Amino acid sequence: MAQQLIISGVPNSVALDAWWLSEETVISGTKGPPGSTPAFATDGRAWRLIGSILLVALADYLFWGHQAGVSLAVFAVAVFLCGLPADRSGKGVLMPATVLVLSVLPVVDFVQPLSVAFLLSGLVVAIVWVRHPKGQVLELLLLALGFLTDLPKNWLGPVRAIPGLKTTIVSDAGGGWTRVRQFLRNWGLPIGGTMVFVTLLAEANPVFQSLVTPDIAFGHLLQRALFWGGIALIIWPFVDNHPLRGLNPRPFVGPQTIPGLNGGSVLRALWVFNALIGVQTVLDLSILLGGASLPEGMSYASYAHRGAYPLLVTALLAGAFALAARPFLDENRVLKPLMVLWLAQNVALCGAALMRLDLYVGTYGLTYLRIYAQIWMGLVAAGLALVGWQIAFRKSNSWLIARTGILSILVLYCASFVNFAHVIATRNLKLPEPDYAYLCSLGPMTGMHNSYGYPNSLCYFEADPINSWQEWGFRKWRLSRYGAGLSSIGPGI
């Protein structure tokens, strides 16, 4: 019995060369081979590649050979504009753009790690928001966190975006190196012939030879090429309109019962804890405000330093205890007032810790660490007050988390505009014996650009120069206006 011959398909090269025989493959009015995608496909990826190239050129102009300054803000705005979806008009862009403007203001003031963190976070939130204009706050935050966690994977996007590269390098079921052979067949003669003619023309014409063989510092060119490649990898996830993946955090399920914690134990603990903290508060007020004497051999400075940080830890433990005891507050009508009193006393405890730290600073001077401790004590006190509000008015945990998070972000945002070096120098120079070595280590941001002299030594520094508009920053500009020889400070000067 004769068998029927069945041809399941044709070679890929024939299919690619004879795509015009079929009328089925049409993409946006452009015909092409079966399974192929035109260079300018409907997803707009080619346009985003062009935008990435323009951003790389802009980065080279803004950053190469310049210190970072207002150029970071300009580049962030350019990345945001290139990352806008193709179908997005002015509608739905205003609020994300407002977030971006607020996030770049700290960098415009002064470039530091905190301001750069706000810039990056604001850029991510703005891009996520403009792609999902109807998303809720929690959804947008989860999408932004997912965007950040996916950055390492998306940095390979430029490689995958090159048309045909993936199918060229990675063999498919139809035939592996088909596109390589097709490329060599179509471009081998033009490229090879061009190289031959360029060589002959350069040999015949010295002027033409100088054009095709310029004097190039290849080491410098390699560094610049690496810079271009690094910028391209960094910006691609921001301009590529890839689907965003939001994080799916698992809900925290704590233990159903904590050993030793119940309605009765919470009631007894609150009576004892309130009495104990009450005694501590009365003693602190009598010493700090009433002028009571300290134990023999103890100075106010040592008293302040000894108690400031332990009191802060006590307040943190008080907040943790309040959150753990919250489920039992309805078992007795006395529990809630006792808990509110407990939190109020711990807020006062944070105030006492701040007063102690201020006493210590008045003797030994201000440092960055002591400023951070003061800010942290204020945040802890505000957090305890929010916990008390949550308990008194039966607010949810999400209510508490949202407000503590917003409060922390606002405090850090405001802190990014403060010149702490100048604050420290101004405070410490009022001491009878300033630590001039530490003042010198603060650098030119103290605002006093000449010399700090102290016995047997001298340090000198100048204000950071602003050599171009790319390096401009409001704080640097403001300090430079004082001049290089504003003042000369130190013993005997």
Side-chain angles (χ1 to χ4, degrees):
M1 181 177 180
Q3 295 182 352
Q4 183 179 3
L5 178 63
I6 299 176
I7 301 177
S8 58
V10 295
N12 286 339
S13 59
V14 177
L16 291 173
D17 290 339
W19 58 268
W20 47 270
L21 293 175
S22 173
E23 292 291 337
E24 297 178 357
T25 305
V26 179
I27 301 179
S28 299
T30 303
K31 302 175 183 179
S36 68
T37 302
F40 289 84
T42 55
D43 64 352
R45 177 157 294 190
W47 293 111
R48 291 194 292 276
L49 282 173
I50 295 174
S52 299
I53 295 173
L54 295 177
L55 285 176
V56 170
L58 179 63
D60 183 85
Y61 171 68
L62 293 176
F63 304 125
W64 188 261
H66 303 286
Q67 295 182 5
V70 72
S71 54
L72 284 174
V74 174
F75 190 69
V77 173
V79 171
F80 173 75
L81 294 177
C82 288
L84 291 175
D87 58 347
R88 180 75 64 233
S89 59
K91 185 179 180 181
V93 179
L94 179 60
M95 293 304 296
T98 303
V99 171
L100 180 63
V101 170
L102 292 176
S103 67
V104 303
L105 289 180
V107 166
V108 174
D109 180 67
F110 184 62
V111 177
Q112 56 184 330
L114 183 59
S115 61
V116 174
F118 273 111
L119 174 68
L120 177 61
S121 302
L123 179 60
V124 170
V125 171
I127 288 180
V128 168
W129 196 350
V130 81
R131 294 182 187 176
H132 296 268
K134 297 182 180 180
Q136 300 297 321
V137 175
L138 180 59
E139 179 187 2
L140 293 176
L141 290 178
L142 293 177
L143 287 172
L145 292 175
F147 183 95
L148 290 173
T149 56
D150 287 343
L151 276 179
K153 179 184 68 176
N154 292 329
W155 277 331
L156 298 178
V159 177
R160 297 195 303 268
I162 299 175
L165 180 60
K166 183 176 180 180
T167 54
T168 299
I169 298 177
V170 181
S171 61
D172 53 20
W177 296 96
T178 300
R179 291 183 179 272
V180 175
R181 292 195 298 268
Q182 182 184 9
F183 175 83
L184 293 177
R185 182 179 59 191
N186 293 335
W187 286 96
L189 178 61
I191 293 176
T194 300
M195 294 175 64
V196 172
F197 283 117
V198 165
T199 303
L200 295 175
L201 292 175
E203 184 68 22
N205 190 338
V207 177
F208 186 80
Q209 183 180 16
S210 63
L211 294 176
V212 297
T213 58
D215 186 11
I216 299 176
F218 287 98
H220 177 78
L221 181 60
L222 178 60
Q223 292 179 357
R224 207 156 187 172
L226 291 175
F227 172 77
W228 296 337
I231 292 294
L233 290 176
I234 291 172
I235 65 174
W236 178 254
F238 295 91
V239 301
D240 183 28
N241 193 18
H242 60 276
L244 298 177
R245 180 187 64 87
L247 292 183
N248 295 317
R250 297 179 180 178
F252 173 75
V253 180
Q256 298 298 321
T257 58
I258 300 177
L261 195 63
N262 52 66
S265 64
V266 170
L267 177 62
R268 293 170 179 82
L270 283 175
W271 281 113
V272 176
F273 291 169
N274 273 305
L276 186 62
I277 296 298
V279 172
Q280 168 65 32
T281 303
V282 171
L283 291 177
D284 269 346
L285 291 177
S286 64
I287 295 174
L288 296 173
L289 300 179
S293 60
L294 292 171
E296 185 178 354
M298 178 176 288
S299 64
Y300 277 100
S302 59
Y303 164 77
H305 185 262
R306 180 176 176 178
Y309 298 108
L311 291 181
L312 178 61
V313 175
T314 302
L316 289 172
L317 291 176
F321 171 74
L323 293 176
R326 185 187 173 193
F328 306 98
L329 296 183
D330 292 330
E331 296 186 10
N332 193 310
R333 59 188 179 89
V334 183
L335 281 173
K336 186 176 291 186
L338 284 176
M339 180 61 74
V340 173
L341 177 61
W342 163 252
L343 292 171
Q345 287 202 91
N346 279 276
V347 172
L349 200 66
C350 290
L354 278 170
M355 294 179 66
R356 287 191 181 211
L357 186 57
D358 188 65
L359 278 176
Y360 187 77
V361 168
T363 302
Y364 294 102
L366 195 60
T367 63
Y368 278 110
L369 181 60
R370 291 161 195 167
I371 288 180
Y372 300 155
Q374 290 176 336
I375 295 174
W376 179 243
M377 289 176 184
L379 280 175
V380 170
L384 291 174
L386 287 174
V387 172
W389 188 281
Q390 178 201 24
I391 292 174
F393 295 95
R394 299 180 179 273
K395 300 294 183 179
S396 63
N397 288 334
S398 59
W399 179 93
L400 178 64
I401 293 173
R403 277 147 186 82
T404 52
I406 292 173
L407 178 63
S408 302
I409 292 174
L410 286 177
V411 169
L412 291 175
Y413 186 79
C414 294
S416 65
F417 293 97
V418 178
N419 187 353
F420 288 114
H422 181 70
V423 173
I424 293 171
T426 303
R427 177 70 180 268
N428 290 2
L429 286 172
K430 297 178 181 178
L431 299 175
E433 297 181 359
D435 185 355
Y436 293 103
Y438 179 71
L439 291 178
C440 287
S441 68
L442 296 178
M445 282 298 144
T446 54
M448 290 158 283
H449 305 321
N450 208 328
S451 59
Y452 291 118
Y454 56 95
N456 302 322
S457 185
L458 181 70
C459 66
Y460 179 83
F461 50 78
E462 296 180 351
D464 291 335
I466 302 177
N467 299 317
S468 62
W469 73 266
Q470 291 96 327
E471 301 178 359
W472 189 89
F474 180 70
R475 191 180 303 181
K476 290 172 64 175
W477 170 79
R478 188 173 68 246
L479 292 176
S480 66
R481 288 175 63 86
Y482 289 110
L486 173 66
S487 60
S488 188
I489 299 175
I493 298 180

